[in-house]
Amino acid sequence: RTVKVLEVSPVGQLKRPDEFFEIRLEYPDWSGWKPGQFVMIRPTGWELDMLWARPFSISSADGDTLTLFMQKVGRGTSRLATMKPGDSVTIWDPLGNSFAVEPDTPTLLLAGGIGIAPFRGYVESHPNPENLNLFLAHRLPLECYPFGQLSEQVSGQCMIEEKPEDLDGIIETMRSLIKEYAEKDGLILSCGPTPFMRTVKRFAQDFGARAQVSLENRMACGVGACLGCVSKDGKGHHVQVCTKGPVFWTSNIEL
Ligand code: FES
């Protein structure tokens, strides 16, 4: 469907001011959304550019609007970053599955960089946000992320990777958090770059933790038609991330 842009706003005071931005869309008469789902989006006018539609996690939504948190990385996101209120985009209704919600279970949210995007909606819609703990590992200044906003609602910590040796501290913190949540039979949800989620999977296996990852595979169609998004499941079979995911239990996906 074609919907109107309500607002595009940079997030934080950055050295690179338009690197991260939020785009808010008018989105009336839709039947609902669950945190972890994504939309495919294409700037209107790019219909002939069949290859340019991209998946983005829904960051938050209510009955009439939908917000996406994006990083400007190429031609399409640069175009989206410069859209004005009233411009239109083509969008596929919420696609894919969603993160598990266990209201009374201690739940650890592990975000790598822009992987924080779906957790905003997760926190906002969770019935018991006091059971949530958010960890963010990031490279850019913290103001780039909606972390401050979220850490007012849940407990949280963040670590920055400024130099290579910082990575050891991040990995060690992830290890001890995953161990802690495995010991209390908590739930672990993660979203971030593939190496980040590979680390989550490894520690989840080591400690027997219940953990889900949200994959960021490239997608062309978003609806199971092109096979462009295939990964392997825990038994080595091909799975389409757009229709079977993007959220998988770590035991059910190869990374
Ligand atoms: Fe086309 Fe998944 S993106 S099959």
Side-chain angles (χ1 to χ4, degrees), residues 5-74:
V5 173
L6 293 173
E7 188 179 16
V8 177
S9 46
V11 175
Q13 302 297 311
L14 308 180
K15 289 177 194 145
R16 291 175 280 184
D18 48 5
E19 177 121 30
F20 283 70
F21 61 98
E22 278 188 345
I23 179 163
R24 205 155 62 84
L25 304 172
E26 186 179 63
Y27 208 69
D29 306 324
W30 62 305
S31 58
W33 145 88
K34 291 183 182 157
Q37 287 190 292
F38 65 95
V39 289
M40 298 290 291
I41 183 169
R42 178 167 62 209
T44 301
W46 286 29
E47 281 74 16
L48 293 179
D49 192 345
M50 295 306 287
L51 294 177
W52 212 96
R54 291 284 182 273
F56 294 98
S57 282
I58 300 170
S59 183
S60 70
D62 59 29
D64 299 310
T65 65
L66 185 151
T67 303
L68 308 172
F69 176 52
M70 294 187 184
Q71 186 170 14
K72 189 173 147 184
V73 289

Side-chain angles (χ1 to χ4, degrees), residues 97-100 102 105-110 119 174 177-179 181-182 185-191 196-215 246-253 255:
N97 65 357
S98 55
F99 284 118
E102 297 178 4
T105 302
T107 301
L108 174 65
L109 310 177
L110 293 172
F119 292 138
M174 288 170 68
L177 282 168
I178 291 170
K179 182 168 186 281
Y181 276 74
D185 195 26
L187 176 65
I188 298 167
L189 310 177
S190 68
C191 186
F196 182 85
M197 291 192 290
R198 211 172 269 145
T199 303
V200 172
K201 177 178 162 84
R202 175 159 58 93
F203 290 139
Q205 272 176 336
D206 289 352
F207 300 118
R210 295 188 304 124
Q212 292 187 324
V213 290
S214 176
L215 302 197
V247 177
F248 294 89
W249 291 99
T250 50
S251 51
N252 290 344
I253 197 75
L255 283 168

